[in-house]
Amino acid sequence: MTYIAKPAVRNPALPKNSLGLTRRDYEGKISTLCAGCGHDSISAALIQACFDLDLPPHRLAKLSGIGCSAKTPTYFLGAAHGFNGVHGRMPSLATGANLANRDLVYIGISGDGDTASIGLGQFVHAIRRGVNMLYMVENNGTYGLTKGQFSATADVGSKSKRGEVNIYPPIDLVRLALDLGAGFVARSFSGDKDQLVPLIRGALTYPGFALIDCFSPCVTFNNHEGSTKSYTYIRGHDLPIVDLIPPRQEITVDYEPGARQEVTLHDGSRCVLRKLAGDHDLNDRAAALALIEEHRRRGELVTGLIFLDPEGQDMHMRMNTVETPLNALRYEALCPGAETLASINAELR
Amino acid sequence: MQKTDITRPDYFHKVVDCQWACPTHTNVPEYIRMIAAGRYTDAFMLNWYSNVFPGILGRTCDRPCEPACRRARVEKEPVAICRLKRVAADLKGEFEHLLPKVPKRKNGKRIALIGAGPASLTVARDLLPLGYETVIYDEHAQGGGMMRSQIPAFRLPVEVLDEEVNLILGMGVECRFGHRVDSLKAVIEEGYDAIFIATGAPRGRDLQIPGRAEAAANVHIGVDWLASVAFGHTTSIGERVVVVGGGNTAMDCCRSALRLGGKEVIVTVRSGFKEMKAHPWEKEEALAEDIPILNWHNPHSLVLKNGRLTAIRFEKVRAEYPDGRRKLIPTGEQVEIPCDDVMLAIGQDPVFPWIEPELGIEIGKWDLPVLDPVTFESTRPGVFFGGDAALGANNIVSAAAHGHAAAISIDLYCQGKDLHQDRLPPGLNLSSQKMGLHEWSYENNYAGTHRIVVPHAKKSVALANIKAEVELGYDVERAREEAERCLNCDVQTVFTPRLCIECDACVDICPLDCINFIADGEGNELRARLRVPATNPDQAVYVDGPLATGRIMAKDENLCLHCGLCAERCPTGAWDMQKSVIHLFQAGGICHE
């Protein structure tokens, strides 16, 4: 880990967004993770995406559980709200916070242990409820904080640093999310910011639950030969299928006809996509599942946006809650008094 | 883009902006680290070997290093390199045992040095340890040349000057002081093996305006007047003094006048304030002594009453740039400034009436000798030039640089070697500064402090005595704090592509966004595509690769803090912080570090 703070001095030519902020205004404290950790790249991608979207840092909330991944919210968006909770319980925090204040942008950071093992029950219910959030899994297939045991996302046959072979099949979080009705499902790689940053932008603006299962190599315990979550392995097996196109490039860059697709979401916002391989139908859940299975058999890791539901609903829509965040409602509105209660009770008699 | 060849000494030398900008290429970051560590004597010696006059230059240098300093691009103010050099000279301990030994047995070659200024002294310093005999001629009774005659004592105390001049003379120079050379032929006839001419630029320019001849008694040529003050011939001046000119000589004139009885001293300049030739800090010092600087004043005529100067009249001008070049247009307005004395400080030139035309030394454009720019040899073999006499009025540190170059040439010439072919090219040494996992042999933490102000003497004390030094120099604590502002630009980011796994850790951590992993491209096209486009054409982009993904690494050197965070965050050691030491050889193939 680095002992000195990142110097506050910055490049005077750094671009500013519409809020007059530079990318560096979205940074947090210096990372204490191992040098070269994929998680740090994901933090940098989050910083870039929030900067690009002109998000006011104080209108964001970062939530996490336990693990290397759960430490990372300290390393980005130092001016945002944050809550570091119990292992695997980040989805509960997000659900509660979102219920109380639907106006904030929620970023949940989790790892493969925090999500696929101890927090699996929480994960699936957050999807089921459709909490409007970006759920980022920093997936390295190993328990780095406890020195390199296989996690539940490690592939069968993958080797640990000491040479043991993993015997259990992995939990595929993307397939789980597809099955449970998530509206925005993507898989990416910390080493490919060109793909990751637009995906984060898309996920942050998507009005519903958005999962990014992001390969994030553990340089210390899972970056060796025989690992299927190393920088080299992922680079060699990564198959990008659909990219989100950054808004600024939508008009300026020419893509081959057919490769470009525009999707309008139910809240009126637009998403522009670029298909890189095959003719995958993004709005077809079954096709997405089949696609992953087909490439898994070929030993390919499909990355990019895998499924997008333009009609997806979030928790508040399903529950028909008021537009005003609950925490902004006045006491009289939240608790209308004995008379109102009596009249409601009377209706039910 | 072409892969950067970091084994070429010039590449990393150029990254050390201060060292590159210095005419003598003094290893600035190294001596600043020594000062930070309290190693003042070592810092002094490093400077002495390189620029010969640390105590003098630490007070009077033109400091081309400071505008070049990377710190000025990152923050606002450069590191106070010059004033730190003074600290080394002020606080040094015993150093005599560190000086080069001069052999008792000589090599039989005798060299004449004409003019005892910084250029000649440098040649003597470089050649004496090699066994040469040197004979130095000067019209004045003491050595130092224009360092003595032109720099007022309130900027450069005589003791400091004497110490460093005498150090060299004491190495065994034969001094023929008080001996004005009126004929080069006569010197040649004495049978020297080589002759070095460094007679400065002693002729101050005059101004022919109406009244000039009539007012001669009260119109002074700046350089002559300063020399007269330095040698004690002039001790007073009228109460109302107008200095004409905007260069450093003008600043020295006005401040000296203030100390010799001037009550209303005014500087007048044809140009605007910004375009003045004087250094910003020299202008500041004059302004700090409440001397008004009047810009856009073009001298028109001198006003006399009863044969005595009473005022100087100016025509006000304004600047216009019809074809990009400045033209001064009279506004029609005239102003008269009452005065008792006028000083002309509008430039100075070398003059060679004492060089006989038949000697084959060609004098070319601007009355300057025709020279080989590398060897400083004139059109007559064995006769070399240096200092202001070589390239026109410049500064002390350039004179020292000329002296080093000429000494190499003289040494080669005396051995019958080729002055170009047998010159040693610069060398480069790179050594890792890694001490532990995240420990470096230098202070890599960025110090956010702003430039530390040098304490000044009280104005009442300073103005009362022309010999009272105005700047008091840094004390130990201030020097240490200022030294920490140095970015250690000589500790280079060295990239090894085969170790890189392209994890982006360096890109994410770099505080100045210098590092890129990007598709290959050419020149400006690549520069424009960087995370923060590389818009400073004077600064290189370090390119290496291709890497496993086919991309290249491209690092804009412009604003790099040399903080080493890229190397700290690199999991594979693809980035390393390595100190670059540039070996520049002096006469005899000697290289001091």
Side-chain angles (χ1 to χ4, degrees), chain A residues 229-242:
Chain A
K229 296 274 193 294
S230 68
Y231 279 105
T232 319
Y233 186 89
I234 296 166
R235 285 230 163 83
H237 296 78
D238 168 22
L239 181 73
I241 46 152
V242 178

Side-chain angles (χ1 to χ4, degrees), chain B residues 151-327:
Chain B
I151 304 173
F154 57 83
R155 286 212 290 132
L156 174 61
V158 178
E159 309 82 64
V160 176
L161 176 69
D162 283 344
E163 182 190 9
E164 295 189 345
V165 170
N166 292 339
L167 188 61
I168 296 168
L169 297 179
M171 287 167 75
V173 182
E174 186 184 330
C175 300
R176 300 203 183 159
F177 288 161
H179 181 303
R180 187 189 168 89
V181 175
D182 289 317
S183 159
L184 180 60
K185 208 170 158 198
V187 178
I188 290 174
E189 278 163 7
E190 286 192 45
Y192 290 105
D193 293 284
I195 293 172
F196 180 69
I197 297 169
T199 46
R203 188 180 63 186
R205 286 187 202 146
D206 205 345
L207 187 66
Q208 293 309 328
I209 50 172
R212 170 70 182 92
E214 296 83 344
N218 293 95
V219 178
H220 315 278
I221 302 285
V223 286
D224 298 340
W225 185 77
L226 284 175
S228 174
V229 171
F231 294 114
H233 308 315
T234 295
T235 51
S236 67
I237 190 85
E239 287 197 354
R240 299 170 305 170
V241 181
V242 172
V243 178
V244 176
N248 293 327
T249 303
M251 300 302 118
D252 283 339
C253 283
C254 67
R255 295 178 68 197
S256 295
L258 207 56
R259 286 159 171 80
L260 293 183
K263 295 246 162 20
E264 289 169 39
V265 181
I266 296 171
V267 174
T268 59
V269 197
R270 268 193 333 168
S271 71
F273 188 79
K274 246 171 78 185
E275 299 88 335
M276 283 169 64
K277 286 205 173 124
H279 295 128
W281 54 90
E282 303 237 0
K283 291 190 276 189
E284 277 162 30
E285 303 269 288
L287 292 173
E289 293 178 356
D290 305 321
I291 298 172
I293 296 177
L294 306 180
N295 297 96
W296 312 115
H297 278 59
N298 195 21
H300 176 272
S301 57
L302 296 166
V303 184
L304 287 96
K305 217 172 249 170
N306 307 326
R308 196 178 160 74
L309 177 73
T310 57
I312 174 166
R313 181 176 300 208
F314 293 93
E315 191 169 48
K316 290 187 97 175
V317 291
R318 63 188 154 85
E320 272 184 23
Y321 302 86
D323 47 358
R325 286 166 64 179
R326 192 188 70 180
K327 239 178 129 181

Side-chain angles (χ1 to χ4, degrees), chain A residues 277-293:
Chain A
D279 196 25
H280 168 52
D281 183 358
L282 261 177
N283 307 333
D284 184 339
R285 231 174 253 281
L289 281 163
L291 177 90
I292 291 173
E293 182 56 21

Side-chain angles (χ1 to χ4, degrees), chain B residues 484-560:
Chain B
E484 292 301 347
R485 294 182 70 238
C486 175
L487 298 177
N488 301 286
C489 297
D490 61 334
V491 182
Q492 309 289 354
T493 54
V494 176
F495 184 68
T496 311
R498 104 191 120 73
L499 295 176
C500 179
I501 57 170
E502 297 175 71
C503 67
D504 274 3
C506 52
V507 177
D508 299 335
I509 199 70
C510 179
L512 272 299
D513 293 283
C514 307
I515 303 172
N516 303 265
F517 291 91
I518 194 167
D520 200 356
E522 278 310 318
N524 288 336
E525 182 272 326
L526 178 72
R527 279 172 166 266
R529 265 196 295 124
L530 302 186
R531 280 161 71 82
V532 179
T535 49
N536 185 347
D538 298 334
Q539 293 285 321
V541 172
Y542 176 10
V543 169
D544 211 342
L547 302 159
T549 56
R551 298 180 298 175
I552 58 159
M553 185 289 297
K555 181 203 160 207
D556 183 5
E557 299 279 15
N558 187 27
L559 298 177
C560 172

